[in-house]
Amino acid sequence: MTWHPALARSVMFRHDHVRHADLLLLPERVVVLRGTAGSIVRLCDGSREVYEIVAELGERFPGAPVADEVPAFLSTLRKEGWLQ
């Protein structure tokens, strides 16, 4: 089975222009995404498989360990229930 990560129905992605931070808005909770986490989550629209997200980020951030870190990060978000 392939996985096309997408935000769970109860989660919204927003950029806070005042704080210059990407956020996940959950019921009664806000998660501040640090570093490149927002760039990763922004690609989780349900149209790409994980390997496609990794490939796109690899092009954007040459030399970064995206092949190892991005799938692990997405898996963590899925376990939290923030991605489906």
Side-chain angles (χ1 to χ4, degrees):
M1 181 171 111
T2 58
W3 180 36
H4 294 79
L7 291 175
R9 292 179 189 237
S10 62
V11 179
M12 293 174 45
F13 177 83
R14 291 288 183 264
H15 181 76
D16 184 334
H17 295 285
V18 175
R19 294 183 185 103
H20 303 286
D22 291 319
L23 310 170
L24 289 181
L25 306 176
L26 302 115
E28 301 186 27
R29 185 173 176 192
V30 175
V31 176
V32 178
L33 300 172
R34 305 218 183 269
T36 57
S39 297
I40 298 168
V41 173
R42 191 173 279 119
L43 296 175
C44 296
D45 59 5
S47 69
R48 298 172 186 87
E49 290 185 46
V50 174
Y51 81 88
E52 293 171 302
I53 294 170
V54 168
E56 188 165 331
L57 292 168
E59 290 177 17
R60 286 188 201 175
F61 306 103
V66 296
D68 295 326
E69 293 180 3
V70 171
F73 175 70
L74 294 175
S75 178
T76 299
L77 295 185
R78 189 180 204 181
K79 287 176 188 171
E80 290 288 336
W82 303 342
L83 290 178
Q84 54 184 10

